[in-house]
Amino acid sequence: MTKEKKKSIVSTKSLATIGLMTAVCCVLGPVSVPIGAVPVSLGVLAVLLTVYVLGMFKGTVATLVYILLGAAGIPVFSGYQGGLQKLSGPTGGYIIGFILMALIAGFFIDRFSYKKCYMHVVGMVLGLAVCYLFGTFWFMFITKTSFLGALSICVVPFLVFDALKIAFCFSVGIGLRKALTAAHLMKYYE
């Protein structure tokens, strides 16, 4: 029998950080301001911040756990709602789109160094665009609204808010990653 320790696929530290960022999503996600059929919420901010802190794989897992908690009925979605009826409702596609957003933004954040950090913004914008697209088609299907009608209800009113969320995540995210790297809690390259 060897004395070498078997390396776990997922470390305790990874599970703890995924749990912590899932909790951040659960705290920020429900905070919203209703402005129509789709409220302005901090869900996008929470997911992008999660991906900045954890990277693509763990950030996507944390986002998925957040969505599963909401699907189970815990009120973690906008307006302190939860349950499968929220996911199957008109705005459910945007919530499910968070998974795609986390994958795309996380890929760019992981792939590009500080020297090309403008690509982080590109990744967040692309991820958000895919989330918008998925959610808009979902909204169209559920409400029988036209594409332009759905865009005017579900996307256009949020462009400024989501641009501010991306700017915030970009400015805070780089600092968080540097601090976590300095504390030896994650690896990140220059």
Side-chain angles (χ1 to χ4, degrees):
M1 191 164 140
T2 64
K3 293 185 178 183
E4 293 180 29
K5 293 181 182 178
K6 288 187 177 181
K7 191 169 186 175
S8 170
I9 293 174
V10 180
S11 69
T12 304
K13 186 179 0 177
S14 291
L15 288 175
T17 56
I18 289 169
L20 177 66
M21 292 313 295
T22 299
V24 168
C25 288
C26 290
V27 169
L28 293 178
V31 178
S32 63
V33 176
I35 64 166
V38 182
V40 174
S41 78
L42 296 181
V44 168
L45 177 93
V47 170
L48 292 177
L49 206 52
T50 295
V51 172
Y52 242 117
V53 170
L54 298 178
M56 183 181 77
F57 176 73
K58 290 187 266 184
T60 302
V61 169
T63 301
L64 184 58
V65 171
Y66 159 69
I67 292 169
L68 290 173
L69 288 171
I74 298 172
V76 296
F77 299 142
S78 64
Y80 296 92
Q81 297 178 20
L84 290 176
Q85 74 279 2
K86 179 71 173 177
L87 282 179
S88 62
T91 60
Y94 296 101
I95 297 168
I96 295 168
F98 285 169
I99 298 167
L100 301 170
M101 184 174 64
L103 284 168
I104 294 166
F107 172 79
F108 278 79
I109 291 167
D110 284 351
R111 175 72 175 93
F112 294 98
S113 69
Y114 296 129
K115 293 174 183 151
K116 293 185 179 179
C117 62
Y118 62 89
M119 292 301 289
H120 298 179
V121 174
V122 170
M124 289 188 282
V125 169
L126 286 174
L128 183 59
V130 169
C131 180
Y132 278 161
L133 193 60
F134 187 83
T136 299
F137 281 121
W138 186 287
F139 186 87
M140 288 170 50
F141 177 74
I142 298 293
T143 64
K144 308 299 184 225
T145 307
S146 70
F147 182 69
L148 290 178
L151 283 177
S152 68
I153 294 169
C154 303
V155 175
V156 173
F158 303 95
L159 292 173
V160 172
F161 297 112
D162 288 342
L164 292 171
K165 293 172 194 173
I166 287 172
F168 176 81
C169 287
F170 177 69
S171 60
V172 171
I174 289 177
L176 279 172
R177 284 187 81 112
K178 284 183 177 180
L180 290 169
T181 300
H184 304 292
L185 293 173
M186 73 180 308
K187 294 178 185 175
Y188 199 61
Y189 45 88
E190 291 295 328

